[in-house]
Amino acid sequence: MYHKSKGILLRKTKLSGGGFILKILTLEFGMRSYFGRTSKQMKNKYLPLSLVDLTGFQQAKKTIYSLKEYELSPPLRDVYQNIYKSNVLIFINEILNNVIQEEESNPEKYYFLASKIVELENEQFDSNFHLIFLIQLTSFLGFEPDINGDGKYYDFAEGEFTFAAPTHSNFFNEEESVLFKSICKAGFEPNYELKVSNNMRKRGLQILINYYRYHTEMRELKSLPVLEMIFN
């Protein structure tokens, strides 16, 4: 049975006997694994977060699908050539591999991710792109923060601001809470512009990573030290 779908390539794993296993988030079917060929022409199409149109089919009793057609749609260039964009792309790719596991189709999440990849490709580079992406992604993962309350400390275990420091360790201090609220506003309020120094941007990323680690089982991020170095 053949099927067609749009997809986002999240991971490429090389097989010892030749070929690749491609982990693709598809629009129509959610997460699926496909067998990719090893030709030079095809290998150049297996780049992180490639946007693709594919035709696949499943053989009986096999969980990995075969590919009949696999085309870049649209082809991305600047995100792989621009050193800032490419490192942000690799970081986002690692984040997505950590936090997206579902097998079911989720069109709203798919279109959000595809639009952000195209934005990174086409727009002038924004040093805050990865911060805004991370906070916006929480809406599709089930832990979008509520920043409407008053208080000096953001308790991310309870999801609220408090005037007194919580007795546990899962909260941001006063300075971190102000920065976290600013990042949230930049992500969810169209006319809010995030203005931060390099040091604040680095701290903001650490805050968001801590927030993600509390809400997910995210592992150590290999791309994080490189990303921090690039922005320094």
Side-chain angles (χ1 to χ4, degrees):
M1 178 71 70
Y2 286 95
H3 61 264
K4 292 180 178 289
S5 183
K6 291 186 174 297
I8 302 171
L9 177 59
L10 295 186
R11 183 186 301 164
K12 174 184 71 176
T13 304
K14 190 173 183 179
L15 299 174
S16 58
F20 300 92
I21 298 298
L22 308 176
K23 180 182 176 183
I24 299 176
L25 179 66
T26 69
L27 171 61
E28 301 292 342
F29 312 104
M31 198 72 73
R32 283 194 170 180
S33 294
Y34 294 86
F35 177 75
R37 292 172 290 178
T38 56
S39 68
K40 184 176 181 181
Q41 180 185 10
M42 292 307 297
K43 283 169 64 176
N44 292 334
K45 294 183 178 181
Y46 301 151
L47 297 176
L49 299 186
S50 293
L51 301 173
V52 303
D53 287 331
L54 62 85
T55 301
F57 64 94
Q58 184 180 22
Q59 296 176 319
K61 299 181 180 181
K62 291 189 176 181
T63 58
I64 299 176
Y65 295 79
S66 298
L67 282 172
K68 181 176 184 292
E69 297 175 342
Y70 177 98
E71 296 296 333
L72 302 178
S73 178
L76 306 175
R77 294 182 178 85
D78 203 37
V79 289
Y80 304 123
Q81 297 173 355
N82 181 299
I83 187 172
Y84 298 103
K85 289 185 178 185
S86 63
N87 278 281
V88 167
L89 186 83
I90 291 169
F91 171 74
I92 289 173
N93 189 205
E94 188 174 12
I95 289 286
L96 294 177
N97 274 289
N98 270 273
V99 301
I100 295 183
Q101 307 295 336
E102 78 273 1
E103 297 180 1
E104 299 298 320
S105 173
N106 187 327
E108 189 177 6
K109 181 188 294 183
Y110 178 89
Y111 283 122
F112 165 74
L113 295 175
S115 69
K116 297 303 287 188
I117 294 167
V118 171
E119 178 184 334
L120 185 61
E121 165 73 14
N122 292 336
E123 300 294 328
Q124 182 177 348
F125 180 68
D126 179 358
S127 298
N128 297 321
F129 181 92
H130 56 303
L131 303 182
I132 294 172
F133 173 86
L134 286 177
I135 204 64
Q136 290 176 338
L137 181 61
T138 63
S139 298
F140 304 93
L141 299 177
F143 50 89
E144 178 184 333
D146 179 3
I147 61 168
N148 292 321
D150 296 323
K152 297 180 179 180
Y153 307 90
Y154 189 76
D155 181 338
F156 52 86
E158 298 296 328
E160 62 183 7
F161 279 95
T162 64
F163 286 99
T167 56
H168 56 76
S169 61
N170 300 311
F171 70 95
F172 300 136
N173 65 31
E174 292 184 53
E175 183 179 353
E176 292 169 339
S177 296
V178 170
L179 179 55
F180 183 68
K181 193 168 189 176
S182 294
I183 295 171
C184 290
K185 287 183 176 181
F188 300 120
E189 297 181 10
N191 297 321
Y192 189 91
E193 184 178 356
L194 182 63
K195 296 182 179 180
V196 292
S197 65
N198 280 341
N199 286 336
M200 289 180 67
R201 185 175 296 111
K202 181 178 180 179
R203 186 64 189 132
L205 180 56
Q206 292 169 343
I207 288 170
L208 290 173
I209 294 298
N210 288 339
Y211 186 74
Y212 266 72
R213 283 185 175 144
Y214 179 81
H215 290 286
T216 71
E217 298 179 358
M218 191 166 65
R219 300 183 297 273
E220 202 68 29
L221 298 170
K222 297 178 180 179
S223 60
L224 183 58
V226 179
L227 186 67
E228 291 179 335
M229 182 182 67
I230 289 294
F231 282 108
N232 282 338

